[in-house]
Amino acid sequence: MSKLRAKLAAQIPVMRDEIKKINKDHGDLVISECTVAQAYGGMRGVKSLVCDTSEVPPDKGLVIRGIPIAQLTDKLPEEILWLLLTGELPKKDELEDLQAELKKRGKVPDYVWAVLRAMPPDSHPMAMLNTAILVMEKESVFRARYDKGMKKDEYWDATFEDLLNIVAVLPAIAAGVYRIRFKKGDLIPSNPKLDWGADYVHMLGIPDPTGNFAKLMQLYLTLHCDHESGNVSAMTGATVNSALSDLYYSLSAGLDGLAGPLHGLANQECLAWILDTNKKFNGSPTDAQLKAYAQETLSSGRVVPGYGHAVLRVTDPRFDAFLAFGKKYCANDPVFQTVAKVFDVVPDVLKQIQKIKDPWPNVDAGSGGLLYHFGLTEFAYYTVLFSVSRALGICSQAVVARGAGLPITRPKSVTTKWIQSQIAKATAKA
Ligand code: AMX
């Protein structure tokens, strides 16, 4: 038994009993209410989900199992995975055990490459990644065990098996998507001596003479790992998994949500906006030019990508981490300089628009400029990088949810007529 599985096997029954007791003793305690505006407004702020892997206080940003993300920037993604699942950082032998476990499971089935190569050459890289995950559904340990009558208290274990198998192959698949979609030549075999993130960089095949691209990717894969459970991709993944659709179904469904321009695709859109700006002004623009361009974007009905957030009300600490990285490793790059300048200028422009609740940069405002600097210039690919990291969170949340024995998700919807009837009742009373 792997050390991580043994740890979870010890923790999960305790967690399950704790949740049972909370429900039994305090199930009636009201923790949130829902207004008409929230029902029509994407349930913004309604506290109706439980997520123990991470939380996002609006005034702080991402906190993973009690540790602010700014304190985790030097960690490997495997360490973060252990933390998400168990609430602790792994000891050296535990980390090595997990890394060995992932290596053991890292062979991508050949049919995945056949499917990816058969896809239209102009497919979006996210469609390719999610197709690859979905086509591997036949490998699901959860489904195989469920079909044989698996007991409910083993669901977490079968989901954990699927997690290990998926996480183990994701870097090779994502690198393969890059090489096939952008015609980069043959696939590059995995290097068993490298850690999970470094092997991904190796398999992408982007020249990295300074080693700084690998450093950026370690940071990138760590920063994007999880963001509580109410965002589109996490909530979709969790909802699909709650139907006991296995992790291959739920992860690919969640990542389909990440592919939207208001969510993970914003990093692609954001870099496009920065490059357009530099093109328009023949290099890094002045503050006045940038202000005018941001205003022009807004008045044409478009969003300024990389700015604003449904939950955050401060600069995203993950943006801060990217900004610090850029200042250290590519301060003279004109694209990075524009990214930094946008941060100086755009929040004041957005603050003038009353309806915008968060004028500050989110994680997507800074990452694209850095990837571009290090030679990853195909920005349609950026959401795939995001997905490789976010898979850690979506998959961990599923293991924890199945461990907790959570039921199928089923909130109640109402009709506009019903809302009108409630308004009529409230008005009559007043
Ligand atoms: N530029 C222009 N308008 C913006 C804006 C921005 N950066 N951020 C918010 N707004 C607008 C909204 O479109 C909305 O307008 P509407 O009422 O006419 O529809 C209004 O301001 C109120 O929005 P909000 O309550 O402040 O935000 P929200 O929770 O509805 O949306 C988000 C959040 C992220 C979708 C939005 O800020 C946005 O579209 N930002 C740009 C895209 C982006 O960066 N997405 C990435 C988010 C992080 C991630 O998931 N990767």
Side-chain angles (χ1 to χ4, degrees), residues 299-320:
S299 52
S300 69
R302 288 174 295 151
V303 296
V304 177
Y307 281 73
H309 201 270
V311 174
L312 281 173
R313 296 295 174 259
V314 289
T315 295
D316 191 327
R318 300 168 301 171
F319 173 81
D320 283 332

Side-chain angles (χ1 to χ4, degrees), residues 50-334:
V50 180
C51 172
D52 288 320
T53 55
S54 69
E55 58 188 311
V56 183
D59 59 339
K60 286 196 186 76
L62 177 60
V63 175
I64 298 178
R65 295 278 193 176
I67 309 177
I69 189 69
Q71 292 172 27
L72 293 166
T73 51
D74 62 338
K75 301 293 176 223
L76 293 175
E78 299 95 309
E79 293 176 280
I80 299 287
L81 175 62
W82 188 291
L83 176 65
L84 286 165
L85 281 165
T86 67
E88 297 162 16
L89 281 162
K91 299 183 189 78
K92 190 169 174 286
D93 63 319
E94 292 174 329
L95 173 63
E96 284 167 3
D97 189 73
L98 172 59
Q99 288 177 320
E101 191 68 39
L102 292 174
K103 287 287 172 205
K104 216 165 63 188
R105 298 166 187 252
K107 165 94 177 78
V108 178
D110 288 339
Y111 61 78
V112 170
W113 303 126
V115 168
L116 289 179
R117 288 199 171 98
M119 287 182 76
D122 56 350
S123 299
H124 194 281
M126 280 301 289
M128 295 176 76
L129 178 75
N130 292 346
T131 300
I133 295 169
L134 196 56
V135 79
M136 290 191 300
E137 193 278 333
K138 68 189 264 317
E139 312 292 335
S140 172
V141 172
F142 184 95
R143 178 153 69 87
R145 281 169 62 177
Y146 189 86
D147 288 349
K148 285 188 191 140
M150 171 171 54
K151 289 203 297 242
K152 193 174 175 187
D153 61 7
E154 292 171 20
Y155 288 176
W156 74 265
D157 183 41
T159 305
F160 176 62
E161 282 292 312
D162 283 351
L163 174 152
L164 288 175
N165 289 332
I166 292 173
V167 169
V169 295
L170 262 190
I173 290 177
V177 165
Y178 178 70
R179 297 192 68 78
I180 293 168
R181 173 63 179 75
F182 299 105
K183 301 187 174 45
K184 297 288 176 183
D186 292 343
L187 300 179
I188 299 172
S190 159
N191 178 346
K193 292 199 184 101
L194 295 174
D195 65 61
W196 188 77
D199 200 19
Y200 181 20
V201 174
H202 156 75
M203 289 184 281
L204 281 169
I206 293 165
D208 184 22
T210 59
N212 290 340
F213 177 57
K215 283 188 193 135
L216 172 65
M217 287 292 288
Q218 175 274 321
L219 180 67
Y220 190 104
L221 293 171
T222 293
L223 292 180
H224 288 79
C225 65
D226 203 32
H227 218 230
E228 63 174 49
S229 72
N231 64 76
V232 167
S233 50
M235 191 162 66
T236 305
T239 304
V240 173
N241 198 253
S242 81
L244 303 187
S245 302
D246 61 59
L247 213 40
Y248 294 85
Y249 285 124
S250 15
L251 178 63
S252 62
L255 297 180
D256 284 339
L258 198 70
L262 295 187
H263 195 14
L265 203 82
N267 53 15
Q268 155 180 349
E269 309 249 312
C270 191
L271 180 61
W273 193 81
I274 300 278
L275 294 179
D276 281 352
T277 311
N278 278 16
K279 197 167 158 201
K280 189 175 164 91
F281 299 109
N282 276 327
S284 221
T286 63
D287 287 8
Q289 286 171 326
L290 197 49
K291 195 172 166 191
Y293 189 53
Q295 275 160 347
E296 189 187 314
T297 301
L298 293 167
S299 52
S300 69
R302 288 174 295 151
V303 296
V304 177
Y307 281 73
H309 201 270
V311 174
L312 281 173
R313 296 295 174 259
V314 289
T315 295
D316 191 327
R318 300 168 301 171
F319 173 81
D320 283 332
F322 280 133
L323 195 68
F325 186 96
K327 284 182 179 161
K328 187 165 174 188
Y329 292 107
C330 54
N332 296 325
D333 180 299

Side-chain angles (χ1 to χ4, degrees), residues 44 261-264 266 298 302-310 350 355-358 362-364 386:
R44 205 67 91 261
L262 295 187
H263 195 14
L298 293 167
R302 288 174 295 151
V303 296
V304 177
Y307 281 73
H309 201 270
L350 298 180
K355 68 177 180 179
I356 298 181
K357 298 191 192 68
D358 175 38
N362 60 57
V363 67
D364 294 319
F386 195 152

